[in-house]
Amino acid sequence: MKIVTIGSRIFVTSFQLAGVQGVVVDTPQNAFSEVKKLADDPDVGLVLISEDMSTPISTELTKLRATKSKPLIFALPASGSEKKEVDYRKMLKTILGV
């Protein structure tokens, strides 16, 4: 299984130094397009997307998570961003349609 990162050049490059593939994007819409492509790749097991790209498309990402069990799509804080609380219970309810 492959791990792929999606985000700004700095975000992606930091993971490439550790041997992780990445896709540099400049807008959240481009990020979502890349996530959809990776969701159809059976070799990809984990997509790490920078939080600054994932926040504007969080609804779309949640819908994608609800329809596809693989890859796991996980948002990580971008360089220099502030710490935020994530309501995983609310996200799980949205995914399950509860």
Side-chain angles (χ1 to χ4, degrees):
M1 290 280 153
K2 293 190 294 187
I3 300 171
V4 181
T5 59
I6 298 174
S8 67
R9 180 164 305 286
I10 293 171
F11 182 81
V12 170
T13 301
S14 63
F15 283 95
Q16 286 176 333
L17 292 171
V20 177
Q21 297 179 22
V23 180
V24 176
V25 294
D26 54 357
T27 67
Q29 291 70 32
N30 289 347
F32 187 65
S33 294
E34 292 297 328
V35 169
K36 287 194 305 187
K37 288 179 198 174
L38 293 170
D40 292 331
D41 185 343
D43 293 332
V44 176
L46 175 62
V47 175
L48 301 174
I49 183 170
S50 65
E51 199 169 60
D52 59 329
M53 293 292 170
S54 69
T55 301
I57 57 170
S58 63
T59 303
E60 292 88 350
L61 289 174
T62 301
K63 288 178 184 176
L64 184 63
R65 288 178 181 117
T67 60
K68 299 224 178 209
S69 62
K70 202 172 78 174
L72 176 62
I73 303 166
F74 194 74
L76 294 176
S79 142
S81 66
E82 294 182 19
K83 182 180 175 183
K84 293 182 182 179
E85 293 292 323
V86 177
D87 188 351
Y88 289 107
R89 180 172 284 161
K90 180 180 175 185
M91 182 188 300
L92 185 58
K93 285 181 178 181
T94 303
I95 290 171
L96 296 175
V98 178

